[in-house]
Structure formats: structure tokens, C-alpha cells
Amino acid sequence: MTAGAARAGRDPERGRGADDAATPWPRGISRQATMRISDVLRALGQEFANVSHSKLRFLEEQGLIEPVRTPSGYRQYSQADVERLRFVLTEQRDSYMPLKAIKERLAAMDADPDSAEHPAPRLATTGAPARRRWTARSVAEAAGVTEEFVDDLARAGLLPATGGTFGSAAVDVARIAGALSQYGIEPRHLRSFRTAADRQVTLVDQVVAPLRSQQASAARGRAASMAGEMGELFTRLHAAWIRQGIDDLA
């Protein structure tokens, strides 16, 4: 069952559907469309710093979300819509899952919204968006390493800083580098990995730049999705080469 089909039978106010069995995932969350696109961006901005108007419109065009249109043409969203968006953005960010696969999983979740196998929705906060910046101390505490080790990573160019603080990826980098340090691998040994990653990002940028430079929101949204999917392919390719090399050592 598609999301569009599952929405059939609901009243114009997007309240509870006449046929609860046709209610798509997630159930138990308001479907009253009272949120503007700016409200959605505020709700998701703390967790997804790169979410934008164009990204939301692209996901809508791909059939992953269906906001209500007011008589004057403005989009309005419900809390349930926000949770679907959260799911899509999380799968893209954490699993690098392509949109086609995400759409298929959402369809399965809509067909059986109460399955225990589906993720539980989390109500998005509606506070002002804020990109969290990490200090060396907070990175060290979250990653389970010393502050001195975080400073070593920064000096090695592995944790780019802005005004003395770090972005959200710093914790993962510090945690992984800390685990590698148990094998005698120091931050300086990881510089080539960072250089290779930067080159891959540059290559992705060259591919998506023509789309990103367009004014159409759909093109910019497509650029973001393509970049995520290409990043996953690069990651898998690198992992395959590492596994092959490790197998040859055995």
C-alpha cells in the first residue's frame, strides 16, 4: 500500500481517518496539518543540520511525503509527516540508503504500521534550530578518549575546527581513532585516510555541482540525495578493498 493510498478516507482536516486500518505509519501521532514548512525545518534542524526547503520539496516530489495544500497553495504538515521525514533523513544519513529503498520500506511500514519490527516514532522538537558545536572536552567525554588525544587529532588535520569547536562528526572520528590507537595507530598515521576521503568528496562535488547550482528546489534536493548515495558506494568500495587485503594476509 502506498502512502497516498493509505491516506484515502481521511477528512479534510487531516484528523483521524475513517478507516484506522488504512492509516499509514506512524500511528498514534497527530495528523492535523498545522505546521508550515518553516516549522518543520525548526523541528528537524537540530538533528539534521542540512535539511532545507529544497530537500523537503524534493522528498515530496519523490512521493515520500504528502503535505496538505491550503487553498492559497501553501504546504502544511502534521507531526506524523515530520516523523516520516525524520525516518527518511535518518536512513539517508546513518545507512546511506537510496531513496528507492527507503520508499519501499515506508510502503511496507504503511501496510503493517503496528509491526514491532518498525522503528518507534520520536516526536520532533520544535525549538529553534541549532547546530551543535563540540569542544575538545565534550568530544573527549562523548568518545571516551582524553582531551589530549582530541587535540592530537585536530593538529593532525583529522578534526577540522571552526573557532576552536568541532562539528557533529568529531565524536565518531575520535571514537574510531581511539579504538585504532589501541593497536598502536596514531593520528599521524591516519592523515592519508583523511586525504583520500577529501578527494572522494571532491569527486562527488564535481558530479552534483551542476544540479546544486540550479535554482529549482527539486534539482538541489536531487543533488543532496545523489551525494549521499555516492558516498555510500565509495564507503562500500573502500570496505571491499580493505576486506580483500585483510583476507590476503591470512
Side-chain angles (χ1 to χ4, degrees):
M1 180 187 300
T2 65
R7 293 171 189 267
R10 293 189 311 183
D11 63 47
E13 298 297 325
R14 293 192 67 185
R16 186 170 300 173
D19 181 3
D20 190 60
T23 302
W25 183 91
R27 286 184 182 169
I29 294 181
S30 174
R31 297 186 179 277
Q32 191 77 16
T34 59
M35 303 174 69
R36 298 168 299 178
I37 194 168
S38 58
D39 298 323
V40 176
L41 293 177
R42 280 196 296 272
L44 296 173
Q46 294 186 28
E47 188 173 355
F48 305 97
N50 294 324
V51 68
S52 64
H53 289 75
S54 59
K55 178 73 171 181
L56 297 187
R57 288 170 182 166
F58 175 73
L59 295 177
E60 177 187 347
E61 291 169 0
Q62 297 303 304
L64 291 162
I65 193 71
E66 296 180 26
V68 163
R69 290 297 189 102
T70 66
S72 55
Y74 291 104
R75 295 171 175 84
Q76 287 190 319
Y77 301 78
S78 67
Q79 282 287 357
D81 291 327
V82 171
E83 291 308 307
R84 288 179 75 90
L85 284 167
R86 184 197 292 279
F87 173 78
V88 172
L89 295 171
T90 299
E91 291 300 300
Q92 283 193 306
R93 181 194 63 191
D94 297 347
S95 303
Y96 297 97
M97 186 178 290
L99 288 181
K100 180 180 179 181
I102 296 175
K103 189 173 184 178
E104 290 173 351
R105 188 174 179 196
L106 274 174
M109 292 160 65
D110 289 340
D112 185 11
D114 297 324
S115 172
E117 298 179 1
H118 301 330
R122 294 182 295 123
L123 288 178
T125 59
T126 56
R131 294 187 179 187
R132 179 173 181 181
R133 301 297 301 180
W134 296 75
T135 64
R137 175 178 295 181
S138 61
V139 170
E141 292 174 351
V145 298
T146 66
E147 190 172 343
E148 181 181 3
F149 184 74
V150 175
D151 291 335
D152 289 342
L153 291 173
R155 282 192 291 269
L158 304 179
L159 291 180
T162 301
T165 60
F166 308 96
S168 58
V171 175
D172 284 339
V173 171
R175 184 180 293 117
I176 295 169
L180 288 171
S181 71
Q182 303 302 312
Y183 298 93
I185 298 175
E186 301 175 10
R188 59 188 176 87
H189 298 139
L190 302 176
R191 289 173 181 163
S192 61
F193 288 85
R194 176 64 199 234
T195 300
D198 288 342
R199 289 174 177 169
Q200 291 167 2
V201 171
T202 298
L203 182 56
V204 172
D205 183 45
Q206 292 173 352
V207 173
V208 303
L211 286 172
R212 199 175 61 245
S213 64
Q214 296 180 28
Q215 295 298 318
S217 60
R220 294 196 298 273
R222 178 59 179 160
S225 296
M226 285 178 58
E229 292 173 13
M230 290 176 65
E232 167 62 6
L233 292 173
F234 277 129
T235 301
R236 290 164 57 186
L237 180 61
H238 181 77
W241 282 333
I242 293 292
R243 284 195 298 268
Q244 181 181 18
I246 296 301
D247 289 344
D248 291 342
L249 296 177

